Amino acid sequence: MRESSIEKAFEKFSPSSCVFVLSIDENKKPGGMVASWHMRCSQEPQMHAVALWKLGNTQKLISESKEFVISVPNKSLEKEVKFFGNNSGKNIDKFKETKIKTQKSSKIKTPILTDATINLECKLVKKIDTKGDCFIFIGEVVAAHINEKKDKILFTAKKGDKRSFLEIW
Amino acid sequence: MRESSIEKAFEKFSPSSCVFVLSIDENKKPGGMVASWHMRCSQEPQMHAVALWKLGNTQKLISESKEFVISVPNKSLEKEVKFFGNNSGKNIDKFKETKIKTQKSSKIKTPILTDATINLECKLVKKIDTKGDCFIFIGEVVAAHINEKKDKILFTAKKGDKRSFLEIW
């Protein structure tokens, strides 16, 4: 065990799960991104947290709509994961560009992804300023959906500059 | 995609990374647990968050010492992961019982784990009440250590009542 740069340690801390974080604007138009920085944070009630860059578009959508969807992808959505991860919703309609399949949520207005493995509908409970470069959004999970045809979930791994995806379990 | 219980959706959301979360008491005696509910939450500065059950022992240690270590295990620590995960530090000295190998941190007082893949030293920045059953602890990562002899990290997976461990990447 030897001391290293913090950056290098996080590079080694791989792979990590990656999920779509989706929300809507004031016209109910959906937007979103892909994030690895997310975690469960309560079981009673069920809550999920996600850390989003303060200058990004998705954090703005969630701050205003007070809701979000966590959508857990599988290999069949790898192309869409890359597109959502590499483009900003400020300039582009990611849903329209990728033609990603969506369907209605049951308790919120943000749509869920039809081909994901899992969808979690969340109502915003708290937005926290970390004093770093992200806000943490804590949502109560108010409904969930699972895809009977899919079992695995997608992970992202980075070695040097190269990012790859692997489907696990 | 069909609606399911939230519990069932989280069961399907597997595997997940699991890490040791370590801290010290007022006599500098180390304690800790194993948690899957953790995430990065800032890059500038580097920060890491972990959600811990409000009634547990580790949250008490961190609340008082204002520091913690995130130690990322590999297969060689599977036995210790199970022990730390299945016992409460209120009744037992997990370090003593498992004889887990530790060494000095560089910037805080909580020790790091010699045989882990990665160790992150964190100074507490914020403790958040989620309004659920956990507190979220946000730490600034002030030092990091990597194990040149280890590359993989341990994941935990649950199918029904059965929990298993797999080493990935």
Side-chain angles (χ1 to χ4, degrees):
Chain A
M1 189 61 62
R2 65 164 188 80
E3 193 157 355
S4 79
S5 76
I6 297 168
E7 201 54 45
K8 205 163 175 184
F10 275 118
E11 253 174 47
K12 197 171 171 129
F13 200 163
S14 174
S16 53
S17 125
C18 57
V19 297
F20 289 95
V21 184
L22 311 173
S23 192
I24 45 167
D25 70 11
E26 65 275 22
N27 301 314
K28 301 197 175 57
K29 207 177 96 174
M33 62 172 293
V34 167
S36 281
W37 299 4
H38 70 91
M39 66 178 181
R40 292 178 73 176
C41 61
S42 173
Q43 192 160 14
E44 197 62 57
Q46 293 283 9
M47 296 167 96
H48 207 82
V50 60
L52 299 175
W53 192 44
K54 285 179 180 173
L55 304 181
N57 194 53
T58 306
Q59 67 79 22
K60 195 169 162 276
L61 297 180
I62 299 175
S63 298
E64 287 166 11
S65 70
K66 316 276 188 217
E67 61 168 63
F68 59 96
V69 162
I70 298 286
S71 190
V72 187
N74 47 62
K75 197 81 177 168
S76 76
L77 289 169
E78 185 174 329
K79 195 164 52 75
E80 290 82 356
V81 165
K82 283 181 187 161
F83 194 91
F84 272 70
N86 293 330
N87 291 282
S88 166
K90 279 177 192 160
N91 317 313
I92 212 163
D93 182 336
K94 299 183 190 182
F95 283 74
K96 209 173 136 184
E97 288 293 323
T98 57
K99 300 190 183 74
I100 197 165
K101 268 170 79 178
T102 62
Q103 61 189 70
K104 273 193 177 175
S105 286
S106 87
K107 295 207 174 142
I108 60 174
K109 296 190 183 75
T110 305
I112 59 174
L113 300 185
T114 304
D115 296 322
T117 302
I118 305 154
N119 282 287
L120 305 171
E121 300 180 25
C122 302
K123 283 189 183 172
L124 185 65
V125 172
K126 228 174 205 181
K127 173 185 173 181
I128 294 146
D129 188 342
T130 62
K131 308 290 178 202
D133 55 20
C134 288
F135 292 118
I136 294 178
F137 294 90
I138 300 177
E140 182 176 345
V141 185
V142 292
H145 309 256
I146 56 177
N147 194 330
E148 297 289 356
K149 289 180 217 144
K150 306 279 181 192
D151 266 330
K152 297 188 173 176
I153 62 175
L154 206 64
F155 282 72
T156 174
K158 213 177 161 193
K159 289 269 186 223
D161 282 342
K162 217 182 154 188
R163 180 171 294 284
S164 59
F165 292 92
L166 55 161
E167 197 182 47
I168 300 178
W169 199 244
Chain B
M1 189 61 62
R2 64 164 188 81
E3 193 155 354
S4 80
S5 76
I6 296 168
E7 201 54 47
K8 205 166 175 180
F10 276 117
E11 252 174 50
K12 197 172 171 130
F13 200 163
S14 173
S16 52
S17 126
C18 57
V19 297
F20 290 94
V21 184
L22 310 173
S23 192
I24 45 167
D25 70 11
E26 65 276 20
N27 301 314
K28 299 197 176 59
K29 206 176 97 173
M33 61 172 292
V34 167
S36 281
W37 299 3
H38 70 91
M39 66 177 180
R40 293 178 72 177
C41 60
S42 173
Q43 191 159 14
E44 195 64 56
Q46 293 282 11
M47 296 167 96
H48 207 82
V50 61
L52 299 175
W53 193 44
K54 285 180 180 174
L55 305 181
N57 194 52
T58 306
Q59 66 79 23
K60 194 169 162 278
L61 298 179
I62 300 176
S63 298
E64 286 167 12
S65 70
K66 315 276 189 219
E67 61 170 63
F68 59 97
V69 162
I70 298 287
S71 190
V72 187
N74 47 63
K75 196 83 179 170
S76 76
L77 289 168
E78 185 174 329
K79 195 166 50 77
E80 290 82 354
V81 166
K82 283 181 188 161
F83 193 90
F84 272 69
N86 293 331
N87 292 283
S88 166
K90 279 176 193 162
N91 317 313
I92 210 162
D93 182 337
K94 300 183 190 182
F95 284 74
K96 210 172 136 184
E97 289 294 323
T98 57
K99 300 190 182 72
I100 197 165
K101 268 171 80 178
T102 62
Q103 60 189 72
K104 274 194 177 176
S105 287
S106 87
K107 297 207 171 141
I108 61 175
K109 296 189 182 77
T110 305
I112 59 174
L113 300 185
T114 303
D115 296 322
T117 302
I118 306 154
N119 282 287
L120 305 171
E121 300 180 23
C122 302
K123 284 190 182 170
L124 185 65
V125 173
K126 228 175 204 180
K127 172 185 173 181
I128 294 146
D129 188 343
T130 62
K131 307 289 178 200
D133 53 22
C134 289
F135 293 118
I136 294 178
F137 294 90
I138 300 177
E140 182 176 344
V141 186
V142 293
H145 309 257
I146 55 178
N147 193 330
E148 298 289 355
K149 289 181 218 144
K150 305 278 182 192
D151 266 329
K152 297 187 174 177
I153 62 176
L154 206 64
F155 282 72
T156 174
K158 213 177 161 190
K159 290 271 186 219
D161 281 342
K162 215 179 157 187
R163 180 172 295 284
S164 59
F165 292 93
L166 55 161
E167 197 182 46
I168 300 178
W169 200 243

